[in-house]
Amino acid sequence: MPFLGQDWRSPGWSWIKTEDGWKRCESCSQKLERENNHCNISHSIILNSEDEEIFNNEEHECASKKRKKDHFRNDTNTQSFYREKWIYVHKESTKERHGYCTLGEAFNRLDFSSAIQDIRRFNYVVKLLQLIAKSQLTSLSGVAQKNYFNILDKIVQKVLDDHHNPRLIKDLLQDLSSTLCILIRGVGKSVLVGNINIWICRLETILTWQQQLQDLQMTKQVNNGLTLSDLPLHMLNNILYRFSDGWDIITLGQVTPTLYMLSEDRQLWKKLCQYHFAEKQFCRHLILSEKGHIEWKLMYFALQKHYPAKEQYGDTLHFCRHCSILFWKDSGHPCTAADPDSCFTPVSPQHFIDLFKF
């Protein structure tokens, strides 16, 4: 009687014993083949679908990270902000603190972007940017450089909008472009953080800003009310005596013939020289007229070339000697001194730079 069996020498095949001998069961073998093929196909589909899903997820995650990184690098408006508007200035490691504070770190933390909107701090920030452009540009980190040029962009746009003190910004851009030209030409000899093409683009942007400021036209205001020319002479003279910059006096003197006459007053320039310079410096650069009178106006500009003028700002950064913290006075800082006001020292722009020279 026929019966089903399986030969151990041929695993996976079904056989039938008949009178003519052993024969392979076609129906069983075909069924087995179909099952095996179906299993292989299903297994392949499962593997392929799983691999494809994993691959797609990894590719999507990688692309997402790359977009975020590119956005952070390329977005020129991106800036680092901190809640505290003060920074602890330490130059060496201690038991409590490790490392040291850099100029770039302080530049990021002290919120200069908001400071330029305050008219009391505007000149202070501009002067600080100018000193950094002259000597400390290469010491800034990549993030600090981005913040530096973001703040500079805001300053230029502010001047183009309100026409406030364009001469200061022109001087700043001139010093910055000169520094960048030297650094780009000497690439390899000096350390530039970032790609050279980025610095070339920055230089082109600066040249564009310079052209925009050069083309800046002061719009004449139509006002039927009281104007500067309507003020009495003693008030106009009092205004001129309030200026601490000789160029501001010259600029105001170009408005009307009356103001020009007042701006040429010898006593005015004498007071200005005495405010900025010492008497010993007068003797070294004494300039006399043909009649033997001292040319105070000429002396002011001559002394300015040899000695730094006294800086005057509406508001500055302050340094707490007790806490070693640099801060804006109206923002304050967590001081632990018994009498905090006695520990505060105003910080000039040059002093700010010197704090981070090691």
Side-chain angles (χ1 to χ4, degrees):
M1 183 176 180
F3 64 93
L4 292 174
Q6 190 171 21
D7 189 0
W8 62 272
R9 293 167 297 182
S10 304
W13 295 99
S14 297
W15 298 79
I16 301 175
K17 189 174 183 180
T18 63
E19 294 178 355
D20 298 332
W22 290 95
K23 289 185 179 180
R24 191 174 67 180
C25 179
E26 295 296 334
S27 59
C28 293
S29 62
Q30 290 174 1
K31 182 179 180 182
L32 186 60
E33 282 186 25
R34 285 195 301 270
E35 290 178 354
N36 288 337
N37 291 336
H38 177 71
C39 290
N40 290 335
I41 292 171
S42 300
H43 185 61
S44 176
I45 292 173
I46 292 172
L47 286 178
N48 290 339
S49 62
E50 288 180 353
D51 290 344
E52 185 177 0
E53 185 177 358
I54 293 172
F55 176 76
N56 289 336
N57 289 338
E58 290 180 351
E59 185 179 17
H60 177 73
E61 185 178 356
C62 181
S64 178
K65 288 182 179 179
K66 187 175 185 301
R67 282 196 301 270
K68 290 180 181 178
K69 186 181 292 185
D70 291 341
H71 176 74
F72 178 77
R73 288 178 176 176
N74 297 329
D75 186 7
T76 56
N77 294 325
T78 302
Q79 189 172 351
S80 295
F81 293 100
Y82 295 86
R83 182 175 299 177
E84 299 87 2
K85 300 299 185 290
W86 52 267
I87 187 169
Y88 178 82
V89 181
H90 54 291
K91 297 186 177 182
E92 58 184 8
S93 297
T94 63
K95 292 181 180 180
E96 295 79 14
R97 295 178 180 269
H98 295 280
Y100 56 90
C101 181
T102 63
L103 175 63
E105 190 178 353
F107 190 79
N108 293 338
R109 290 284 296 272
L110 292 171
D111 193 22
F112 290 107
S113 182
S114 299
I116 62 174
Q117 304 302 328
D118 189 336
I119 192 171
R120 300 171 302 160
R121 301 175 180 174
F122 183 83
N123 291 1
Y124 181 83
V125 176
V126 171
K127 182 63 176 179
L128 181 58
L129 293 181
Q130 188 173 16
L131 291 178
I132 292 176
K134 287 181 178 180
S135 60
Q136 302 297 319
L137 195 60
T138 55
S139 66
L140 298 180
S141 64
V143 175
Q145 287 175 12
K146 182 178 291 186
N147 286 350
Y148 181 95
F149 283 95
N150 284 338
I151 293 171
L152 186 58
D153 182 26
K154 292 180 179 180
I155 289 176
V156 173
Q157 298 308 320
K158 185 177 184 299
V159 171
L160 292 175
D161 291 339
D162 61 15
H163 300 172
H164 175 69
N165 223 336
R167 180 175 54 82
L168 279 180
I169 314 306
K170 289 179 181 179
D171 293 342
L172 165 59
L173 294 179
Q174 182 60 42
D175 290 337
L176 183 57
S177 61
S178 300
T179 301
L180 283 184
C181 286
I182 295 172
L183 292 175
I184 291 173
R185 289 172 186 169
V187 64
K189 299 179 182 178
S190 59
V191 180
L192 274 176
V193 178
N195 191 288
I196 184 65
N197 294 323
I198 296 177
W199 286 99
I200 294 175
C201 289
R202 286 171 175 170
L203 180 58
E204 292 175 351
T205 302
I206 292 170
L207 296 177
T208 303
W209 288 338
Q210 287 179 314
Q211 188 60 46
Q212 289 175 344
L213 291 173
Q214 191 68 29
D215 298 336
L216 184 63
Q217 296 291 333
M218 300 293 182
T219 56
K220 186 176 181 180
Q221 296 182 355
V222 179
N223 190 352
N224 297 326
L226 189 67
T227 64
L228 190 64
S229 303
D230 298 326
L231 296 177
L233 290 179
H234 72 276
M235 291 187 68
L236 294 175
N237 202 41
N238 192 22
I239 291 173
L240 287 169
Y241 271 85
R242 299 285 181 176
F243 288 150
S244 61
D245 191 332
W247 285 109
D248 290 337
I249 295 175
I250 291 178
T251 302
L252 185 59
Q254 296 172 351
V255 177
T256 63
T258 303
L259 286 171
Y260 175 77
M261 177 192 66
L262 295 175
S263 67
E264 293 295 319
D265 181 21
R266 292 179 62 254
Q267 192 65 24
L268 172 65
W269 290 97
K270 179 181 179 180
K271 292 287 185 181
L272 195 63
C273 287
Q274 292 175 341
Y275 173 77
H276 286 287
F277 309 106
E279 291 185 5
K280 292 182 179 179
Q281 297 170 342
F282 295 163
C283 300
R284 297 175 184 175
H285 302 277
L286 196 61
I287 301 177
L288 300 177
S289 64
E290 295 180 355
K291 296 181 180 180
H293 300 300
I294 299 177
E295 295 285 356
W296 290 106
K297 182 178 178 180
L298 297 178
M299 277 189 58
Y300 170 80
F301 291 104
L303 291 168
Q304 200 176 40
K305 295 179 181 178
H306 296 88
Y307 308 103
K310 185 182 294 185
E311 297 176 353
Q312 186 179 24
Y313 304 103
D315 190 16
T316 68
L317 286 168
H318 283 70
F319 182 73
C320 179
R321 297 186 302 274
H322 178 78
C323 306
S324 296
I325 287 179
L326 195 62
F327 64 100
W328 292 107
K329 193 170 183 179
D330 60 351
S331 301
H333 76 287
C335 187
T336 58
D339 185 11
D341 291 339
S342 64
C343 304
F344 297 167
T345 304
V347 177
S348 67
Q350 185 59 56
H351 186 199
F352 179 90
I353 300 293
D354 294 339
L355 280 174
F356 302 98
K357 287 183 178 180
F358 304 111

